[in-house]
Amino acid sequence: MSDSPAARLQQLFEGHRLTPTQRRIAHSMVRQAADAPFLSSVELAELAGVSQPSVTRFAVALGFDGYPALRRHLREVAPAGPAAQDSSYNEYQQAVQGEIENLRRLAELLADPAPVERAGRLLAASRPLPVLGLRAASSQARGFAYFAAKVHPDVRLLDEGGTMLADRIDTARHAGASALLCFALPRHPKEVVDALAYARSAGLTVVTVADSAFAPVARHSDLLIPAAVGTGLAFDTVCAPMLLGRVLLEAMCDGLPDAQARLEEFDARASARGLFVE
């Protein structure tokens, strides 16, 4: 899949924050990956249902002088023969294949476990442990916090913005927190960037899961571990960031001597209450 036209296009788009209109153009190109290098700007505009100037701005957003330069680049990296490797895939299958590729890249990143192990130690040592995630990243933060609370004595979910966010960071810091975990996914809210800057100024070590090492939150993170998002559909898919969150949970458990005892205690209580259907 890494050599397929759709994969090459997705790799080209990664690391760029695109507007909704530009994402529509990118989505249209992925859907017609084999033909994309041969489309004129007018044809691409019609395919995406946008204006021709929008196509030009899209190319510039990707770092090219204009659409002709983008098209030349696509033709240069296109295979010499017919690119029919993924022609049998529909757009939904291409999105799944894109996520499979993201997971492969995450597996390669984890070949060096040192950053995750360091993150696990930082998260385990923080009492309490604030977990931040707003908008698109809120579900990732909530999922992490749900499981982390079963092994960590004090997890504090920060999934709502507003003027109270800084107050809640202050409260966690004054209660003894030494680190903050942030899930940051596109489109990145300015409020998250500001919150991380504030957290670091308050003395917290910031561990971040983001879609790219060049994400806007990078400059306010002490340790950033990237996990790419899928861009093959109208809305991002986030299998790799979710899995990375579970990997961080595992690493955190390794830093909590009583993690297993806490899990066994929870299982016993859950059984006594008839909490789950067996």
Side-chain angles (χ1 to χ4, degrees):
M1 173 61 188
S2 59
D3 292 329
S4 71
R8 284 193 296 273
L9 283 172
Q10 290 176 0
Q11 290 168 7
L12 176 63
F13 301 150
E14 285 174 3
H16 299 279
R17 298 279 59 86
L18 304 177
T19 67
T21 296
Q22 291 166 351
R23 288 181 63 79
R24 182 186 300 177
I25 298 170
H27 179 49
S28 298
M29 293 182 71
V30 170
R31 290 177 61 185
Q32 302 292 331
D35 297 328
F38 310 101
L39 295 174
S40 69
S41 60
V42 173
E43 290 170 332
L44 180 56
E46 292 178 350
L47 183 66
V50 300
S51 67
Q52 186 176 5
S54 294
V55 172
T56 300
R57 288 191 291 269
F58 169 72
V60 172
L62 295 178
F64 297 93
D65 292 337
Y67 181 72
L70 170 58
R71 189 169 62 174
R72 281 196 303 272
H73 172 77
L74 295 179
R75 289 179 176 180
E76 289 170 359
V77 300
Q85 180 179 349
D86 64 353
S87 61
S88 62
Y89 291 142
N90 62 40
E91 62 182 291
Y92 310 121
Q93 291 175 302
Q94 288 179 13
V96 173
Q97 292 293 333
E99 284 292 65
I100 291 172
E101 178 62 20
N102 287 340
L103 292 173
R104 287 198 184 102
R105 292 166 61 190
L106 177 60
E108 293 171 359
L109 178 73
L110 294 176
D112 177 10
V116 166
E117 291 172 348
R118 179 190 171 205
R121 291 191 297 269
L122 290 169
L123 301 180
S126 184
R127 311 289 177 87
L129 172 60
V131 180
L132 172 65
L134 302 184
R135 293 186 179 268
S138 62
S139 61
Q140 305 303 313
R142 181 172 291 276
F144 181 95
Y146 171 79
F147 290 110
K150 300 188 184 309
V151 294
H152 191 289
D154 191 354
V155 179
R156 304 190 182 184
L157 176 64
L158 309 178
D159 63 346
E160 295 182 358
T163 58
M164 294 291 291
L165 182 55
D167 294 345
R168 296 176 69 190
I169 292 173
D170 278 337
T171 298
R173 181 69 180 114
H174 293 156
S178 56
L180 177 147
L181 173 62
C182 175
F183 288 87
L185 300 175
R187 303 174 67 189
H188 294 276
K190 181 178 182 297
E191 191 171 16
V192 171
V193 178
D194 293 342
L196 294 190
Y198 185 80
R200 292 184 80 194
S201 71
L204 291 173
T205 299
V206 173
V207 177
T208 302
V209 172
D211 59 300
S212 166
F214 304 102
V217 294
R219 66 182 182 275
H220 299 304
S221 302
D222 297 287
L223 175 58
L224 186 150
I225 306 177
V229 301
T231 58
L233 301 175
F235 297 99
D236 288 338
T237 49
V238 292
C239 294
M242 181 185 70
L243 182 55
L244 179 54
R246 298 299 186 268
V247 170
L248 287 175
L249 274 170
E250 187 76 9
M252 186 182 74
C253 286
D254 292 340
L256 294 168
D258 58 346
Q260 186 59 39
R262 285 179 175 273
L263 283 175
E264 292 175 358
E265 181 183 356
F266 172 79
D267 284 342
R269 292 198 308 268
S271 179
R273 294 166 55 195
L275 191 59
F276 301 111
V277 177
E278 301 298 339

